[in-house]
Amino acid sequence: MPAAAQTRKAKSARAATGAPGAAPILVDEGMWTLDNLPVALLKKHYGFTPTAAWVELLQKASVRFNDGGSGAFVSSDGLVLTNHHVALGQLQKMSTAEKDYVKEGFFAGAAAAEIACPDLEINVLQSLENVTARVRKATDPKLSDKDQNERRKAEISRITKESTEKTGLRSDVVELYQGGEYWLYRYKKFTDVRLVMAPELQAAFYGGDPDNFTYPRYALDFAFFRVYENGRSVRPERFLRWSKDGAAEGQLTFVTGHPGHTDRLMTLAQLEYERDLGLPLYLEIARRRRKDYYDYAALGTEQARRSKDRIFGIENAIKAVTGEHEGLLDGALMKAKADAETALRRAAAASKDPAVRAAKDAWTRIADAQKKFSARRLQIAYRRFDGTKVAALAAQIVRYVAETVKPNEKRWEEYRDSNLESLRFRLFSPAPMYPDMEEFLLARSLRDALDILGPNDAFVKAALGGRRPEAVARELIAGTKLFDPEERRKLVEGGEKAVAASKDALIVWQRRLDPVYRAQRKWYEDEIESALSAEGKKIAKARFAVYGKSTYPDATFTLRLSYGKVAGYESGTTQVAAFTTFYGLYDRALGHGQKPPYDLAPRVAAARGTLDLSAKLNFVTTNDIIGGNSGSPVVDAKGEYVGLIFDGNIPSLVGRYAYDHTRNRAVAVHSAAIVEALRGIYGMDALAAELLAG
Amino acid sequence: MPAAAQTRKAKSARAATGAPGAAPILVDEGMWTLDNLPVALLKKHYGFTPTAAWVELLQKASVRFNDGGSGAFVSSDGLVLTNHHVALGQLQKMSTAEKDYVKEGFFAGAAAAEIACPDLEINVLQSLENVTARVRKATDPKLSDKDQNERRKAEISRITKESTEKTGLRSDVVELYQGGEYWLYRYKKFTDVRLVMAPELQAAFYGGDPDNFTYPRYALDFAFFRVYENGRSVRPERFLRWSKDGAAEGQLTFVTGHPGHTDRLMTLAQLEYERDLGLPLYLEIARRRRKDYYDYAALGTEQARRSKDRIFGIENAIKAVTGEHEGLLDGALMKAKADAETALRRAAAASKDPAVRAAKDAWTRIADAQKKFSARRLQIAYRRFDGTKVAALAAQIVRYVAETVKPNEKRWEEYRDSNLESLRFRLFSPAPMYPDMEEFLLARSLRDALDILGPNDAFVKAALGGRRPEAVARELIAGTKLFDPEERRKLVEGGEKAVAASKDALIVWQRRLDPVYRAQRKWYEDEIESALSAEGKKIAKARFAVYGKSTYPDATFTLRLSYGKVAGYESGTTQVAAFTTFYGLYDRALGHGQKPPYDLAPRVAAARGTLDLSAKLNFVTTNDIIGGNSGSPVVDAKGEYVGLIFDGNIPSLVGRYAYDHTRNRAVAVHSAAIVEALRGIYGMDALAAELLAG
């Protein structure tokens, strides 16, 4: 299942750069921004022309789940539909040893029974505005890379601050086409979001990790929230009407959502780094993390319950990145990338425009920066404690008070005024943390850092001071009050002085680690990011000059539209059907003798005799999606809701680097399955009626 | 679907030789002869020891379908159960433009409605006797390879003739372990076999070619015959009792049947020939043949009806051989083969026994013979007219009268006394042939021969005499009376004189071709076969000396037993269940929108509401099988009938060369599905009751 959560947020050399691979766009390829839809391609291949009203409907009915996912308004009463696995983090936070909504599901029969999520923020895109000229004007190409980088960041911070002040909307400047364009996106923000309904994990995630990223599938991976404002459910400006029949074979389908991250414009040198070092290192760490979670879960039933969303997340990430890595090991893909790069380099070198010719050495310089980054990759990767939630909150508090005293444009991006409200919302979340779990995972992270980086690494020294990781973790967790959101609030509101005076063990510890982190980040920004950014921009300019703006930018967890059609595909020597039905769910369960992960949730097992088994359950389309698109609506040409994206098949994983036009498939829950399950399995006829009424 | 029909019967260098690759036997590997069951392995891995009575039950309840397949007696009243695709050839022959049993199925409600097959012979193995010493004694190692070959063949012909005369049983001498052993197998022969029941092709071959050799599957690939003798149904000496529950997960399973051909003991040089030349050439010709059949079928509805069994057969062969070829392209497999060969060569060279050391140069000599064969491979492969049935019959008549005047031991094997009855049964078959189809396919074969071999090839010259293939085919078919079985009988009974005097166009033509064929066959026997045979025997001797008789011989379309268990497996990243159910059949049909080949036969569609959908439909086991095993019973430790072999999965195809112990699976129809379908789909409650009563 793709979810933005799986995309690595750690700073790495690839995060801020890119280079062209502008092969001709394939049919159904692309995650298009709403300002530059593939109108000619849609007309040519499907005879379809989007109207302004249609685009606005999709824009305003689509929502972003800020902890990593997508969704859509599906009723006039603020009902939002997304995936169960997007809701999973909140479900885990709402659950207790006594009431496990992850395992049992959650079913609010009436508005009063809906429960508020502890820290879920939802955004709805209101407008988008091209600010490329203003950003560009603020910098001077004659300055050093480092100075240009700083000026650009400062200007962006001014733009977002002004916008927030003027409109009251969350305002983000998004870099597209590796710096070829900058756009101001404004969002309406909702933080009173309540859970309405979620199936049992076993029904939603049927087939578990083995079936994840595969097809055929039989998953009820959906969940409903309702958005409130001022204590009342909102009337959304737009919502998607429910299709009477749902997705049909061969039908033109659109997906709107928030793909998290792609690397389709990486240079060959960057792809080689990812293939040979970056992804293997990521997988190495993820496997350690997986072991940590499983070891903790093995301590008891309650520990197992607490670990469920983390285990899901890490398994999901490992399977996705393994698929991406296999994609890069494919010689044909690398050859296509190399050919495209050579073609663009030649075209740039032959240009009459000196600004385009300036790209001539950009690829070499990016390769150099990448090489410089490689040398410190282990350090950057293993200096971490982010298996632990409370230690990460402590770090954020220490950084928050230090950053927010600076002028807005001098701060790190994440501490600028326009982000502070969302950040505080998360910092003061009442979501539960478990001291024994935090200690266990902190000790494991620190043990890894010590083992891999050695006792003389600056981070290891500051973190351990020569002591055993297990002892340090025990003391830190025993000596912190930060499990209490009020304690965190007091420190943040007390500012630098309060933090400096704090004797809380984790705050003291983070004060010691902060200089190490700052030095590393400064090195990255000055030495790597600024070079990648400057050279990436030259390549972007060359690409626009050579190919025009006929393509789409890499994914940035902002609203995109993809198009495609409902279609089965070949796998091995056989044919995979476009649809599965409820028949297939029972076949798979019985064929496996109901052994986990193929056992049936009790409500699902009980419904076997009464359900319409011929109802379509899951289906596949050729739409181009990636992690972050989870929960995206699949809509038809009329803009009606026909399905709910929840996954991609194995051949879709290479989509991080290139779209496989023969076998890439997005996997969705059919709209008919949602209604059938609500009525036939969960007895939620009123909720089904709300969908059908719109 | 494996069927012996797919194994190539054309003479080729690999047919008569072999060499060791005696890797240790893997769990569940092997197609064991009944005289050498893997008793120690069964005891060690499954705690099971077969009794003599149990072995006799399996031996005498198992039947061989001589046109390529296996089956078993399943009632006291002579009922035989096999695959629909084993029955397909007979069904096609029984059908007419008016009554298409292939499409509509066949359902005899009572004995009187059962119809006799035109030319089906069934064999039941009565005894097996080691005649190695006698065969060996008849030859003298000091003679030339060619003379040894002739003497051995003569002795074998004497053994079979004596046995037939003494016992009245069909008697075959089988060469095992590439000449390491010779065994006399005696069969009871039945030629009055009547069709009782066959589902519609669409139910039996559900999913068509795309799903063939894949799993999960949803095929009702079964058919029932009843064996008669003297106008009354036979009381078989043994039959298999029906299991109450059928196959269960993890259960120990046995398969008895007649695997057609494996090449597990080929030398590396032979495997390389197959990989680089042999299999690609086979596939090239098969694809031409496929095109011929499809082109003929496209001429009209009736032509399409007539072509169904041929199209099934050629598609099946292409898919199987493609899988085998992919197996040989696997470097790891070839490396394992090379390592095993090196180990045996070293062990042989180090032996104190001069007879074992004699194998030293055998591998080199086999490679030389293989090379010599390669040079004429195109000629041997393209000098053919076997798409045409009537021309092949004409060739057999011409050869029959010429061979049968010789002393028995001087004849080609297939014309020796012990084979003549079965041969005449086929020669005088009343099965229909269609002149337009025969002409069409004969013209295509001759066109290929002309195009590939050129006008100066001896065969092409004799066959065409410089004329166009189409014109020659037209004249030959228009000028023959051999479509009438009585005409064929007259010629055979008239002997050499009648054939020499015949003015039948095809007989005249075959008289012209006969010398070309005889010269080619003589070259093959004297130059290739005798060398491969002599050297293969040396290697066989070395292998027995080094490894003992701890292994099983390559498949020879004689009775074998394989053992294994019911088990799912991993495919890609996911788990394939051991079982499918009827739920899955309807899921697959609806998921594909009932598009062919996933449409439901009308009776199957109609039964959806009343069938027990949770009944197990198909399942997989680890048993080691190959083409020819189609129709084999799967029995449990009690010797009860739990399933019906009908296919192997894709990873099983490499089984021609090596057993894949991780993913090899045999695919079977579950015994419960057969009963459920008889009652719930076909309303044949009496037949179901006969099974359950035994």
Side-chain angles (χ1 to χ4, degrees), chain B residues 180-192:
Chain B
E181 289 187 352
Y182 293 87
W183 284 75
L184 173 62
Y185 279 53
R186 293 194 183 98
Y187 300 93
K188 193 155 168 46
K189 194 163 69 178
F190 297 99
T191 51
D192 184 358

mmCIF file with all atom_site columns, all heavy atoms in Angstrom, chain B residues 180-192:
data_model
loop_
_atom_site.group_PDB
_atom_site.id
_atom_site.type_symbol
_atom_site.label_atom_id
_atom_site.label_alt_id
_atom_site.label_comp_id
_atom_site.label_asym_id
_atom_site.label_entity_id
_atom_site.label_seq_id
_atom_site.pdbx_PDB_ins_code
_atom_site.Cartn_x
_atom_site.Cartn_y
_atom_site.Cartn_z
_atom_site.occupancy
_atom_site.B_iso_or_equiv
_atom_site.pdbx_formal_charge
_atom_site.auth_seq_id
_atom_site.auth_comp_id
_atom_site.auth_asym_id
_atom_site.auth_atom_id
_atom_site.pdbx_PDB_model_num
ATOM 1   N N   . GLY B 1 180 ? 20.980  -49.031 -18.412 1.00 0.00 ? 180 GLY B N   1
ATOM 2   C CA  . GLY B 1 180 ? 21.490  -49.677 -17.210 1.00 0.00 ? 180 GLY B CA  1
ATOM 3   C C   . GLY B 1 180 ? 20.667  -50.919 -16.867 1.00 0.00 ? 180 GLY B C   1
ATOM 4   O O   . GLY B 1 180 ? 21.184  -51.880 -16.304 1.00 0.00 ? 180 GLY B O   1
ATOM 5   N N   . GLU B 1 181 ? 19.389  -50.886 -17.203 1.00 0.00 ? 181 GLU B N   1
ATOM 6   C CA  . GLU B 1 181 ? 18.520  -52.033 -16.959 1.00 0.00 ? 181 GLU B CA  1
ATOM 7   C C   . GLU B 1 181 ? 17.504  -52.180 -18.094 1.00 0.00 ? 181 GLU B C   1
ATOM 8   O O   . GLU B 1 181 ? 17.152  -51.196 -18.752 1.00 0.00 ? 181 GLU B O   1
ATOM 9   C CB  . GLU B 1 181 ? 17.763  -51.880 -15.632 1.00 0.00 ? 181 GLU B CB  1
ATOM 10  C CG  . GLU B 1 181 ? 18.658  -52.022 -14.409 1.00 0.00 ? 181 GLU B CG  1
ATOM 11  C CD  . GLU B 1 181 ? 17.868  -52.049 -13.100 1.00 0.00 ? 181 GLU B CD  1
ATOM 12  O OE1 . GLU B 1 181 ? 16.646  -51.797 -13.130 1.00 0.00 ? 181 GLU B OE1 1
ATOM 13  O OE2 . GLU B 1 181 ? 18.496  -52.301 -12.056 1.00 0.00 ? 181 GLU B OE2 1
ATOM 14  N N   . TYR B 1 182 ? 17.031  -53.433 -18.275 1.00 0.00 ? 182 TYR B N   1
ATOM 15  C CA  . TYR B 1 182 ? 15.939  -53.728 -19.207 1.00 0.00 ? 182 TYR B CA  1
ATOM 16  C C   . TYR B 1 182 ? 14.870  -54.502 -18.457 1.00 0.00 ? 182 TYR B C   1
ATOM 17  O O   . TYR B 1 182 ? 15.194  -55.449 -17.727 1.00 0.00 ? 182 TYR B O   1
ATOM 18  C CB  . TYR B 1 182 ? 16.447  -54.539 -20.411 1.00 0.00 ? 182 TYR B CB  1
ATOM 19  C CG  . TYR B 1 182 ? 17.383  -53.732 -21.270 1.00 0.00 ? 182 TYR B CG  1
ATOM 20  C CD1 . TYR B 1 182 ? 18.738  -53.681 -20.983 1.00 0.00 ? 182 TYR B CD1 1
ATOM 21  C CD2 . TYR B 1 182 ? 16.882  -52.991 -22.346 1.00 0.00 ? 182 TYR B CD2 1
ATOM 22  C CE1 . TYR B 1 182 ? 19.593  -52.901 -21.735 1.00 0.00 ? 182 TYR B CE1 1
ATOM 23  C CE2 . TYR B 1 182 ? 17.743  -52.206 -23.112 1.00 0.00 ? 182 TYR B CE2 1
ATOM 24  C CZ  . TYR B 1 182 ? 19.098  -52.161 -22.803 1.00 0.00 ? 182 TYR B CZ  1
ATOM 25  O OH  . TYR B 1 182 ? 19.936  -51.393 -23.546 1.00 0.00 ? 182 TYR B OH  1
ATOM 26  N N   . TRP B 1 183 ? 13.612  -54.088 -18.619 1.00 0.00 ? 183 TRP B N   1
ATOM 27  C CA  . TRP B 1 183 ? 12.510  -54.749 -17.911 1.00 0.00 ? 183 TRP B CA  1
ATOM 28  C C   . TRP B 1 183 ? 11.416  -55.122 -18.904 1.00 0.00 ? 183 TRP B C   1
ATOM 29  O O   . TRP B 1 183 ? 11.086  -54.355 -19.815 1.00 0.00 ? 183 TRP B O   1
ATOM 30  C CB  . TRP B 1 183 ? 11.935  -53.825 -16.833 1.00 0.00 ? 183 TRP B CB  1
ATOM 31  C CG  . TRP B 1 183 ? 12.822  -53.732 -15.618 1.00 0.00 ? 183 TRP B CG  1
ATOM 32  C CD1 . TRP B 1 183 ? 13.987  -53.048 -15.510 1.00 0.00 ? 183 TRP B CD1 1
ATOM 33  C CD2 . TRP B 1 183 ? 12.606  -54.371 -14.362 1.00 0.00 ? 183 TRP B CD2 1
ATOM 34  N NE1 . TRP B 1 183 ? 14.536  -53.198 -14.261 1.00 0.00 ? 183 TRP B NE1 1
ATOM 35  C CE2 . TRP B 1 183 ? 13.694  -54.012 -13.521 1.00 0.00 ? 183 TRP B CE2 1
ATOM 36  C CE3 . TRP B 1 183 ? 11.621  -55.220 -13.847 1.00 0.00 ? 183 TRP B CE3 1
ATOM 37  C CZ2 . TRP B 1 183 ? 13.807  -54.465 -12.208 1.00 0.00 ? 183 TRP B CZ2 1
ATOM 38  C CZ3 . TRP B 1 183 ? 11.721  -55.646 -12.529 1.00 0.00 ? 183 TRP B CZ3 1
ATOM 39  C CH2 . TRP B 1 183 ? 12.826  -55.280 -11.719 1.00 0.00 ? 183 TRP B CH2 1
ATOM 40  N N   . LEU B 1 184 ? 10.861  -56.313 -18.660 1.00 0.00 ? 184 LEU B N   1
ATOM 41  C CA  . LEU B 1 184 ? 9.722   -56.763 -19.459 1.00 0.00 ? 184 LEU B CA  1
ATOM 42  C C   . LEU B 1 184 ? 8.437   -56.371 -18.724 1.00 0.00 ? 184 LEU B C   1
ATOM 43  O O   . LEU B 1 184 ? 8.209   -56.815 -17.604 1.00 0.00 ? 184 LEU B O   1
ATOM 44  C CB  . LEU B 1 184 ? 9.795   -58.282 -19.646 1.00 0.00 ? 184 LEU B CB  1
ATOM 45  C CG  . LEU B 1 184 ? 8.586   -58.953 -20.312 1.00 0.00 ? 184 LEU B CG  1
ATOM 46  C CD1 . LEU B 1 184 ? 8.378   -58.447 -21.737 1.00 0.00 ? 184 LEU B CD1 1
ATOM 47  C CD2 . LEU B 1 184 ? 8.759   -60.477 -20.310 1.00 0.00 ? 184 LEU B CD2 1
ATOM 48  N N   . TYR B 1 185 ? 7.637   -55.494 -19.349 1.00 0.00 ? 185 TYR B N   1
ATOM 49  C CA  . TYR B 1 185 ? 6.354   -55.076 -18.778 1.00 0.00 ? 185 TYR B CA  1
ATOM 50  C C   . TYR B 1 185 ? 5.249   -55.772 -19.565 1.00 0.00 ? 185 TYR B C   1
ATOM 51  O O   . TYR B 1 185 ? 5.223   -55.690 -20.793 1.00 0.00 ? 185 TYR B O   1
ATOM 52  C CB  . TYR B 1 185 ? 6.176   -53.547 -18.900 1.00 0.00 ? 185 TYR B CB  1
ATOM 53  C CG  . TYR B 1 185 ? 6.885   -52.742 -17.827 1.00 0.00 ? 185 TYR B CG  1
ATOM 54  C CD1 . TYR B 1 185 ? 8.234   -52.906 -17.570 1.00 0.00 ? 185 TYR B CD1 1
ATOM 55  C CD2 . TYR B 1 185 ? 6.185   -51.796 -17.082 1.00 0.00 ? 185 TYR B CD2 1
ATOM 56  C CE1 . TYR B 1 185 ? 8.880   -52.162 -16.595 1.00 0.00 ? 185 TYR B CE1 1
ATOM 57  C CE2 . TYR B 1 185 ? 6.818   -51.038 -16.107 1.00 0.00 ? 185 TYR B CE2 1
ATOM 58  C CZ  . TYR B 1 185 ? 8.166   -51.224 -15.861 1.00 0.00 ? 185 TYR B CZ  1
ATOM 59  O OH  . TYR B 1 185 ? 8.802   -50.479 -14.904 1.00 0.00 ? 185 TYR B OH  1
ATOM 60  N N   . ARG B 1 186 ? 4.328   -56.411 -18.835 1.00 0.00 ? 186 ARG B N   1
ATOM 61  C CA  . ARG B 1 186 ? 3.203   -57.090 -19.496 1.00 0.00 ? 186 ARG B CA  1
ATOM 62  C C   . ARG B 1 186 ? 1.894   -56.401 -19.130 1.00 0.00 ? 186 ARG B C   1
ATOM 63  O O   . ARG B 1 186 ? 1.647   -56.117 -17.966 1.00 0.00 ? 186 ARG B O   1
ATOM 64  C CB  . ARG B 1 186 ? 3.128   -58.549 -19.060 1.00 0.00 ? 186 ARG B CB  1
ATOM 65  C CG  . ARG B 1 186 ? 4.295   -59.403 -19.533 1.00 0.00 ? 186 ARG B CG  1
ATOM 66  C CD  . ARG B 1 186 ? 3.933   -60.873 -19.342 1.00 0.00 ? 186 ARG B CD  1
ATOM 67  N NE  . ARG B 1 186 ? 5.037   -61.743 -19.710 1.00 0.00 ? 186 ARG B NE  1
ATOM 68  C CZ  . ARG B 1 186 ? 5.895   -62.271 -18.836 1.00 0.00 ? 186 ARG B CZ  1
ATOM 69  N NH1 . ARG B 1 186 ? 5.793   -62.000 -17.552 1.00 0.00 ? 186 ARG B NH1 1
ATOM 70  N NH2 . ARG B 1 186 ? 6.861   -63.070 -19.261 1.00 0.00 ? 186 ARG B NH2 1
ATOM 71  N N   . TYR B 1 187 ? 1.075   -56.149 -20.150 1.00 0.00 ? 187 TYR B N   1
ATOM 72  C CA  . TYR B 1 187 ? -0.172  -55.404 -19.942 1.00 0.00 ? 187 TYR B CA  1
ATOM 73  C C   . TYR B 1 187 ? -1.383  -56.197 -20.391 1.00 0.00 ? 187 TYR B C   1
ATOM 74  O O   . TYR B 1 187 ? -1.350  -56.848 -21.443 1.00 0.00 ? 187 TYR B O   1
ATOM 75  C CB  . TYR B 1 187 ? -0.180  -54.118 -20.769 1.00 0.00 ? 187 TYR B CB  1
ATOM 76  C CG  . TYR B 1 187 ? 0.935   -53.162 -20.467 1.00 0.00 ? 187 TYR B CG  1
ATOM 77  C CD1 . TYR B 1 187 ? 2.115   -53.193 -21.205 1.00 0.00 ? 187 TYR B CD1 1
ATOM 78  C CD2 . TYR B 1 187 ? 0.801   -52.219 -19.458 1.00 0.00 ? 187 TYR B CD2 1
ATOM 79  C CE1 . TYR B 1 187 ? 3.143   -52.301 -20.952 1.00 0.00 ? 187 TYR B CE1 1
ATOM 80  C CE2 . TYR B 1 187 ? 1.830   -51.311 -19.191 1.00 0.00 ? 187 TYR B CE2 1
ATOM 81  C CZ  . TYR B 1 187 ? 3.004   -51.367 -19.940 1.00 0.00 ? 187 TYR B CZ  1
ATOM 82  O OH  . TYR B 1 187 ? 4.004   -50.496 -19.685 1.00 0.00 ? 187 TYR B OH  1
ATOM 83  N N   . LYS B 1 188 ? -2.456  -56.043 -19.638 1.00 0.00 ? 188 LYS B N   1
ATOM 84  C CA  . LYS B 1 188 ? -3.756  -56.421 -20.151 1.00 0.00 ? 188 LYS B CA  1
ATOM 85  C C   . LYS B 1 188 ? -4.243  -55.222 -20.964 1.00 0.00 ? 188 LYS B C   1
ATOM 86  O O   . LYS B 1 188 ? -4.064  -54.076 -20.586 1.00 0.00 ? 188 LYS B O   1
ATOM 87  C CB  . LYS B 1 188 ? -4.713  -56.718 -18.996 1.00 0.00 ? 188 LYS B CB  1
ATOM 88  C CG  . LYS B 1 188 ? -5.979  -57.403 -19.450 1.00 0.00 ? 188 LYS B CG  1
ATOM 89  C CD  . LYS B 1 188 ? -6.594  -58.224 -18.307 1.00 0.00 ? 188 LYS B CD  1
ATOM 90  C CE  . LYS B 1 188 ? -8.018  -58.678 -18.678 1.00 0.00 ? 188 LYS B CE  1
ATOM 91  N NZ  . LYS B 1 188 ? -8.122  -59.237 -20.041 1.00 0.00 ? 188 LYS B NZ  1
ATOM 92  N N   . LYS B 1 189 ? -4.858  -55.542 -22.115 1.00 0.00 ? 189 LYS B N   1
ATOM 93  C CA  . LYS B 1 189 ? -5.167  -54.521 -23.120 1.00 0.00 ? 189 LYS B CA  1
ATOM 94  C C   . LYS B 1 189 ? -6.679  -54.483 -23.282 1.00 0.00 ? 189 LYS B C   1
ATOM 95  O O   . LYS B 1 189 ? -7.318  -55.531 -23.375 1.00 0.00 ? 189 LYS B O   1
ATOM 96  C CB  . LYS B 1 189 ? -4.508  -54.994 -24.422 1.00 0.00 ? 189 LYS B CB  1
ATOM 97  C CG  . LYS B 1 189 ? -4.387  -54.039 -25.508 1.00 0.00 ? 189 LYS B CG  1
ATOM 98  C CD  . LYS B 1 189 ? -3.349  -54.545 -26.512 1.00 0.00 ? 189 LYS B CD  1
ATOM 99  C CE  . LYS B 1 189 ? -3.814  -55.777 -27.281 1.00 0.00 ? 189 LYS B CE  1
ATOM 100 N NZ  . LYS B 1 189 ? -2.836  -56.234 -28.285 1.00 0.00 ? 189 LYS B NZ  1
ATOM 101 N N   . PHE B 1 190 ? -7.250  -53.280 -23.308 1.00 0.00 ? 190 PHE B N   1
ATOM 102 C CA  . PHE B 1 190 ? -8.694  -53.149 -23.534 1.00 0.00 ? 190 PHE B CA  1
ATOM 103 C C   . PHE B 1 190 ? -8.930  -52.209 -24.712 1.00 0.00 ? 190 PHE B C   1
ATOM 104 O O   . PHE B 1 190 ? -8.347  -51.118 -24.755 1.00 0.00 ? 190 PHE B O   1
ATOM 105 C CB  . PHE B 1 190 ? -9.379  -52.582 -22.297 1.00 0.00 ? 190 PHE B CB  1
ATOM 106 C CG  . PHE B 1 190 ? -9.263  -53.461 -21.080 1.00 0.00 ? 190 PHE B CG  1
ATOM 107 C CD1 . PHE B 1 190 ? -8.299  -53.199 -20.107 1.00 0.00 ? 190 PHE B CD1 1
ATOM 108 C CD2 . PHE B 1 190 ? -10.094 -54.560 -20.907 1.00 0.00 ? 190 PHE B CD2 1
ATOM 109 C CE1 . PHE B 1 190 ? -8.187  -54.010 -18.984 1.00 0.00 ? 190 PHE B CE1 1
ATOM 110 C CE2 . PHE B 1 190 ? -9.984  -55.371 -19.783 1.00 0.00 ? 190 PHE B CE2 1
ATOM 111 C CZ  . PHE B 1 190 ? -9.021  -55.101 -18.816 1.00 0.00 ? 190 PHE B CZ  1
ATOM 112 N N   . THR B 1 191 ? -9.775  -52.634 -25.634 1.00 0.00 ? 191 THR B N   1
ATOM 113 C CA  . THR B 1 191 ? -10.050 -51.761 -26.782 1.00 0.00 ? 191 THR B CA  1
ATOM 114 C C   . THR B 1 191 ? -11.540 -51.430 -26.921 1.00 0.00 ? 191 THR B C   1
ATOM 115 O O   . THR B 1 191 ? -11.906 -50.641 -27.777 1.00 0.00 ? 191 THR B O   1
ATOM 116 C CB  . THR B 1 191 ? -9.550  -52.395 -28.093 1.00 0.00 ? 191 THR B CB  1
ATOM 117 O OG1 . THR B 1 191 ? -10.059 -53.730 -28.179 1.00 0.00 ? 191 THR B OG1 1
ATOM 118 C CG2 . THR B 1 191 ? -8.036  -52.429 -28.138 1.00 0.00 ? 191 THR B CG2 1
ATOM 119 N N   . ASP B 1 192 ? -12.368 -52.027 -26.075 1.00 0.00 ? 192 ASP B N   1
ATOM 120 C CA  . ASP B 1 192 ? -13.784 -51.616 -26.073 1.00 0.00 ? 192 ASP B CA  1
ATOM 121 C C   . ASP B 1 192 ? -13.989 -50.678 -24.885 1.00 0.00 ? 192 ASP B C   1
ATOM 122 O O   . ASP B 1 192 ? -14.311 -51.093 -23.782 1.00 0.00 ? 192 ASP B O   1
ATOM 123 C CB  . ASP B 1 192 ? -14.693 -52.842 -25.986 1.00 0.00 ? 192 ASP B CB  1
ATOM 124 C CG  . ASP B 1 192 ? -16.183 -52.450 -26.079 1.00 0.00 ? 192 ASP B CG  1
ATOM 125 O OD1 . ASP B 1 192 ? -16.476 -51.231 -26.161 1.00 0.00 ? 192 ASP B OD1 1
ATOM 126 O OD2 . ASP B 1 192 ? -17.025 -53.364 -26.078 1.00 0.00 ? 192 ASP B OD2 1
#
